[in-house]
């Protein structure tokens, strides 16, 4: 890579990292290209970006984006996005399926370096759409029960009349 290409990559990563709610760093050593493509496809569906970046370039971009504090060593793949739940769900689900070769190392969530346990805990939380669906079910329950009761009353009256 030339200096210009490195500068462009750093600028692009810096802009992305500034707009990200979560950045998850994982070790991917030993993963096949096919498995990496599965990760990228799963991430693309959730609007999560995935990229392998040299540690020095990533450190510069993270520091410029005011998201420093992560120690980057060995081989790293970065996952980031605007929705922290989506990022953590993609990372945790893939790590669970490929536990021997894909390991979550660290993350930057809510303005601070987060441990792996926080990434896993966030990945188990329901998404916004799931929470809305739960709320709608709770709101619908009284109406459903009322209509069931009216229907039962109607059938009882019909049976008594017959």
């Amino acid at each position: 890579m030339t200096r210009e290409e490195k500068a462009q990559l750093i600028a692009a990563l810096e802009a992305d990292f500034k707009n990200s709610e979560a950045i998850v760093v994982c070790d991917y050593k030993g993963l096949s290209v096919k498995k990496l493509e599965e990760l990228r496809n799963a991430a693309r569906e959730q609007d999560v970006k995935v990229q392998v970046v040299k540690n020095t370039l990533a450190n510069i971009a993270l520091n410029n984006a005011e998201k420093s504090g992560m120690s980057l060593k060995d081989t790293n793949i970065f996952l980031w996005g605007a929705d922290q739940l989506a990022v953590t769900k993609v990372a945790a689900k893939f790590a669970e399926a490929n536990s021997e070769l894909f390991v979550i190392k660290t993350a930057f969530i809510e303005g601070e370096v987060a441990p792996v346990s926080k990434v896993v805990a966030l990945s188990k939380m329901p998404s916004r759409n799931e929470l809305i669906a739960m709320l709608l079910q709770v709101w619908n329950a009284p109406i459903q029960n009322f209509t069931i009761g009216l229907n039962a009353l109607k059938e009882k009256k019909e049976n008594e009349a017959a």
Side-chain angles (χ1 to χ4, degrees), residues 19-54:
N19 299 325
S20 297
E21 288 291 319
I23 302 167
V24 178
V25 182
C26 304
D27 183 11
Y28 70 101
K29 195 173 196 173
L31 270 183
S32 66
V33 173
K34 184 179 178 184
K35 287 290 186 182
L36 280 175
E37 199 57 38
E38 287 177 21
L39 172 63
R40 286 189 171 102
N41 291 337
R44 194 175 301 118
E45 290 173 5
Q46 301 294 324
D47 283 335
V48 174
K49 294 184 180 182
V50 177
Q51 190 169 352
V52 176
V53 184
K54 285 187 174 186

Side-chain angles (χ1 to χ4, degrees), residues 88-156:
T88 56
K89 283 178 188 260
V90 169
K93 185 177 179 184
F94 195 78
E96 187 177 309
N98 301 285
S99 59
E100 298 158 2
L101 304 174
F102 189 83
V103 179
I104 299 171
K105 289 180 167 181
T106 186
F108 196 90
I109 300 172
E110 296 175 350
E112 64 184 17
V113 177
V116 176
S117 59
K118 185 171 185 174
V119 174
V120 173
L122 281 173
S123 72
K124 293 179 181 175
M125 289 182 65
S127 69
R128 181 178 184 271
N129 291 338
E130 292 169 337
L131 286 172
I132 290 171
M134 289 178 194
L135 182 62
L136 289 175
Q137 285 178 338
V138 169
W139 285 348
N140 266 346
I143 296 168
Q144 285 176 331
N145 291 337
F146 181 69
T147 56
I148 290 169
L150 282 178
N151 193 32
L153 183 63
K154 176 186 146 201
E155 287 178 5
K156 181 180 176 188

Side-chain angles (χ1 to χ4, degrees), residues 59-76:
N59 264 328
I60 294 168
L62 285 167
N63 288 334
N64 291 347
E66 299 172 4
K67 295 186 176 186
S68 58
M70 290 191 282
S71 62
L72 304 176
K73 295 176 184 154
D74 301 324
T75 57
N76 294 317

